[in-house]
Amino acid sequence: MTTLFISDLHLEESRPDITEAFLGFLNGKASGADQLYILGDFFEAWIGDDERTPLQEQIAAALRSLHESGTEIYLMHGNRDFLIGQDFCDRAGATLLEDPTVIDLYGTPTLLMHGDSLCTADVEYQKFRANMRNPQWQQMILQRPLEDRQQMARQLREISMAKNQGKEEFIMDVTPEEVVTDMKKHGVQRLIHGHTHRPAVHKLSINGQPAYRLVLGDWSERIWWIEATGDNPPELKYGAL
Ligand code: MN
């Protein structure tokens, strides 16, 4: 009995080493797992399921083969790949998960999020996020020609990089009060998320009881995952890229 969580792979053509590491992860660690949860920013960019690049097709096929071997695959949107749709999920044998979602992890209710919604100190970003997540806006974008969307993605990336450069460290991290509020709201003592690229296990107290926030790491320098079994609490692990 094993459940695995990963996030923030930021798969892209210019990082074939990350793609290789992920394919290795699927054939190794993930092989035989009950569930694989991918908690956002799986791809560095996503402008619509109709793009169908060789990389996207390769990843979909690899996920489908894991799915067909009996592993359930769940995919949550991140702030970079929030346009992943049903079409890609069908090809990959994956189920789209809402952000946030509470799952029953071997008897313990566990809150899953990408994590960007917790960074409430970044007011400007939260406004941007609200716009991007608007279904009408998304429909409008997806109807534009592929070349327009590719151009737009490049621009957004440049703007985002420029804006983040001047931001203070605490603004880029989660707001501690928001974590507690969300965990209380969902009635959980455990939260798993990614996004911040600050892998760690944080112990906190919720309603006078010990609680845990597990943060996944990004795959730019090493690979990170969380492994849960029926017998042990979930563990944050890493390996060489
Ligand atoms: Mn993110």
Side-chain angles (χ1 to χ4, degrees):
M1 277 212 305
T2 308
T3 298
L4 300 170
F5 302 86
I6 56 173
S7 74
D8 303 277
L9 278 69
H10 296 273
L11 292 170
E12 59 178 328
E13 278 78 6
S14 64
R15 290 295 305 266
D17 54 335
I18 300 178
T19 302
E20 273 310 304
F22 179 59
L23 297 174
F25 182 80
L26 292 184
N27 287 321
K29 272 274 148 233
S31 161
D34 298 317
Q35 283 101 19
L36 171 65
Y37 287 89
I38 304 170
L39 300 183
D41 288 357
F42 183 38
F43 287 94
E44 172 68 5
W46 198 271
I47 57 169
D49 291 0
D50 54 338
E51 194 180 24
R52 300 188 74 146
T53 64
L55 173 65
Q56 293 165 6
E57 297 294 271
Q58 183 187 17
I59 295 298
L63 285 174
R64 169 153 288 279
S65 125
L66 182 71
H67 164 77
E68 281 169 359
S69 76
T71 301
E72 294 170 17
I73 301 169
Y74 297 95
L75 190 69
M76 186 178 276
H77 288 145
N79 50 298
R80 296 191 165 275
D81 55 9
F82 58 88
L83 285 177
I84 291 179
Q86 194 56 47
D87 202 57
F88 174 76
C89 287
D90 289 346
R91 277 183 274 142
T95 305
L96 262 186
L97 269 192
E98 287 287 316
D99 180 4
T101 289
V102 178
I103 60 161
D104 174 357
L105 187 59
Y106 304 117
T108 303
T110 301
L111 178 59
L112 307 180
M113 302 176 122
H114 175 56
D116 55 330
S117 64
L118 297 167
C119 303
T120 53
D122 196 344
V123 177
E124 190 186 14
Y125 170 71
Q126 292 302 332
K127 276 190 201 156
F128 174 78
R129 183 181 195 270
N131 286 335
M132 298 280 146
R133 301 285 175 130
N134 178 323
Q136 280 166 336
W137 181 86
Q138 291 190 0
Q139 273 322 101
M140 194 182 77
I141 293 301
L142 288 172
Q143 279 161 15
R144 289 205 204 162
L146 203 51
E147 296 73 41
D148 287 14
R149 282 178 273 150
Q150 281 161 340
Q151 169 74 13
M152 214 177 88
R154 274 194 295 274
Q155 281 169 351
L156 277 177
R157 203 165 153 185
E158 279 161 26
I159 293 170
S160 155
M161 276 165 71
K163 284 197 168 164
N164 285 342
Q165 255 169 14
K167 274 179 194 165
E168 306 251 18
E169 281 289 301
F170 79 92
I171 290 182
M172 305 283 286
D173 203 354
V174 303
T175 307
E177 295 78 17
E178 185 65 24
V179 169
V180 173
T181 303
D182 284 20
M183 291 180 76
K184 281 186 176 168
K185 187 168 98 189
H186 292 281
V188 299
Q189 302 294 117
R190 187 195 284 150
L191 163 65
I192 296 177
H193 72 83
H195 177 66
T196 59
H197 300 192
R198 293 164 197 226
V201 177
H202 300 274
K203 191 174 176 192
L204 46 157
S205 175
I206 308 246
N207 296 325
Q209 298 294 318
Y212 299 87
R213 176 168 72 92
L214 293 92
V215 189
L216 286 156
D218 67 292
W219 283 36
S220 62
E221 282 161 27
R222 51 181 63 147
I223 76 169
W224 291 90
W225 72 96
I226 286 170
E227 197 171 313
T229 63
D231 308 320
N232 300 306
E235 246 187 288
L236 177 64
K237 299 189 171 190
Y238 64 87
L241 188 63

